[in-house]
Amino acid sequence: MTGRGQFSAGDLLELVRTGRATTRGALQQVTGLSRATVGQRLDRLFRAGWLREGAGGPVDSPLGGRPSITLEFDDAHAVVLAADLDTRHARAAVLTLTGEILAEHGGTLVVEDGPEAVLGELGRWFAGLLEKAGHRAGEVCGIGLAVPGPVDSETGRVVQPPIMPGWDGYDIRGRLARSFTEHTGAPRVPVLVDNDANLMAYGEQRTGYPDCSAFVLVKVSTGIGAGVVVDGSLFRGVDGGAGDLGHIRVGAEALCRCGSYGCLAAVASGGAVARRLAEAGVRAASGSDVRELLAAGHPEAVGLAREAGRQVGDVLATVVTLLNPGVLMIAGDLAGTPFLTGVRELLYQRALPRSTAHLEIVTSRLGERAGLVGAGALVVEHLYAPERAEERLTALGV
């Protein structure tokens, strides 16, 4: 709220967007504002194109009368761009403000080529996707980007990322905003950056498990990371380092890409399984290669994936005991039956029954789109949060 007992137009928008109050009468009841004041606040939102009137709702009075007109967030007034970077591959999309993907593209994009080249290419992808979706660049309200490393959410910069050489401390927001402008001619728009596991968790929780108050997603691909959503909000820790499961020490002798020995990622990630397969004479160079072998039922890949699942499950027993989540989702290249079987074996063996009594262990619903959906949602929640919405309405002159 803008002041004590004062509900702004942004506050009213939040009530409508979340479904807590979707008629003028309900807004008056929730806020205590007069009918005239509610009308004035709503008028600003209508003039901005952010709200629309929907169908008539049920008649509240037993005496009958005209049905209340419902209010709806108008998701057609702008679009969001989103991209999800992996180590050797990326996906990008144009989304509506309510998360529907209008156009998407996936292709090779090697993170080791550095931020200048990668972010420059993403700008080109975005320009092509907007044309494909039939939207002008001027309709874009913001860009969300998921990256495979720890991110300081205040600055949008990655912090000592083990598998993103050359990216540490780089101004990702500024470069991607410039790239968008260079390739589209449109003014700069806000750019938000977060860890890929975080945004996958955010997308999956919001779309599939909105009532789950403690949700954990574990991504097992080139590395291993977790995203945690508590009471509908991402839990990032003090500087974006929460969920970095891959660098928990598990006592092994393997050298990790972070420079330490014995990290979980060094023995149980998709990259680690690929190395063990290669040592056995099987062609595998990455987690995506392992995924293809698992899909084909390759016996050695299946065995190693199950073993990796057991190692991850051992660590997750502590995570589940600490956080007591309602849903534990496994995603990424290894997220299949063999790996999940291994996770269940060790997790249920090591965790107390009290911690797992109401736990669902599932695999991804959104698949490769999870990071895109989460990145888009992050942008929308930022831009249409009450205080930010007020600033934008003022800038629009309404």
Side-chain angles (χ1 to χ4, degrees):
M1 293 187 294
T2 55
R4 194 170 187 179
Q6 294 297 311
F7 286 81
S8 67
D11 290 313
L12 267 59
L13 178 67
E14 179 84 352
L15 290 169
V16 173
R17 281 204 317 118
T18 58
R20 284 178 284 169
T22 57
T23 65
R24 289 171 173 79
L27 288 170
Q28 288 176 241
Q29 198 169 30
V30 170
T31 63
L33 298 175
S34 69
R35 181 178 179 179
T37 302
V38 167
Q40 290 168 358
R41 303 276 198 274
L42 292 178
D43 185 54
R44 296 180 68 198
L45 297 171
F46 281 120
R47 280 187 284 145
W50 295 1
L51 278 189
R52 65 186 173 210
E53 290 187 340
V59 177
D60 296 328
S61 170
L63 300 177
R66 295 172 60 188
S68 301
I69 299 297
T70 59
L71 303 169
E72 300 174 350
F73 180 56
D74 190 343
D75 70 342
H77 70 270
V79 293
V80 175
L81 295 174
D84 184 4
L85 294 182
D86 209 331
T87 53
R88 304 190 64 80
H89 186 271
R91 302 186 75 83
V94 182
L95 299 92
T96 68
L97 299 181
T98 48
E100 179 189 353
I101 292 180
L102 302 175
E104 66 180 309
H105 172 72
T108 299
L109 207 53
V110 181
V111 77
E112 289 187 355
D113 288 345
E116 189 71 23
V118 170
L119 300 175
E121 182 66 5
L122 278 182
R124 189 178 70 81
W125 285 16
F126 285 149
L129 282 167
L130 285 167
E131 185 176 349
K132 182 179 177 182
H135 282 273
R136 294 175 290 104
E139 296 176 74
V140 176
C141 64
I143 300 171
L145 177 65
V147 297
V151 177
D152 182 334
S153 61
E154 292 298 315
T155 65
R157 298 172 188 248
V158 292
V159 183
Q160 300 176 359
I163 57 176
M164 299 180 70
W167 291 71
D168 186 21
Y170 185 85
D171 181 16
I172 296 174
R173 290 176 178 174
R175 177 65 182 106
L176 189 52
R178 289 197 307 275
S179 179
F180 169 72
T181 297
E182 289 164 5
H183 287 279
T184 65
R188 286 200 191 188
V189 295
V191 176
L192 274 71
V193 185
D194 211 325
N195 170 260
D196 55 357
N198 280 351
L199 292 180
M200 290 172 70
Y202 198 48
E204 295 278 9
Q205 189 270 339
R206 289 173 62 84
T207 58
Y209 301 90
D211 298 325
C212 181
S213 60
F215 178 96
V216 176
L217 178 142
V218 179
K219 180 185 179 184
V220 188
S221 289
T222 301
I224 301 174
V228 180
V229 182
V230 177
D231 292 332
S233 298
L234 279 168
F235 178 77
R236 299 184 176 92
V238 296
D239 62 2
D244 205 356
L245 295 184
H247 301 288
I248 291 176
R249 304 292 175 82
V250 293
E253 295 300 317
L255 176 63
C256 182
R257 293 182 68 169
C258 72
S260 297
Y261 286 88
C263 293
L264 181 64
V267 296
S269 65
V273 172
R275 284 193 298 275
R276 292 187 63 182
L277 286 168
E279 289 167 2
V282 180
R283 291 186 62 182
S286 65
S288 58
D289 292 335
V290 177
R291 179 176 57 193
E292 292 175 6
L293 289 168
L294 289 172
H298 188 282
E300 193 152 4
V302 167
L304 288 174
R306 182 166 178 168
E307 182 183 335
R310 288 172 59 84
Q311 291 167 312
V312 172
D314 197 7
V315 171
L316 289 179
T318 301
V319 172
V320 167
T321 301
L322 178 66
L323 297 178
N324 189 210
V327 174
L328 172 62
M329 178 175 283
I330 307 298
D333 291 330
L334 297 191
T337 300
F339 185 86
L340 204 63
T341 299
V343 168
R344 289 175 179 275
E345 285 176 8
L346 260 289
L347 175 57
Y348 285 116
Q349 179 182 324
R350 299 291 168 84
L352 291 172
R354 173 69 183 82
S355 301
T356 58
H358 302 289
L359 176 67
E360 287 185 69
I361 302 178
V362 299
T363 53
S364 171
R365 289 187 174 191
L366 296 175
E368 293 182 334
R369 291 178 162 182
L372 297 174
V373 172
L378 188 74
V379 171
V380 173
E381 292 305 314
H382 170 74
L383 292 179
Y384 295 91
E387 288 187 11
R388 181 69 177 130
E390 273 299 306
E391 294 172 3
R392 295 176 63 214
L393 287 169
T394 301
L396 288 171
V398 298

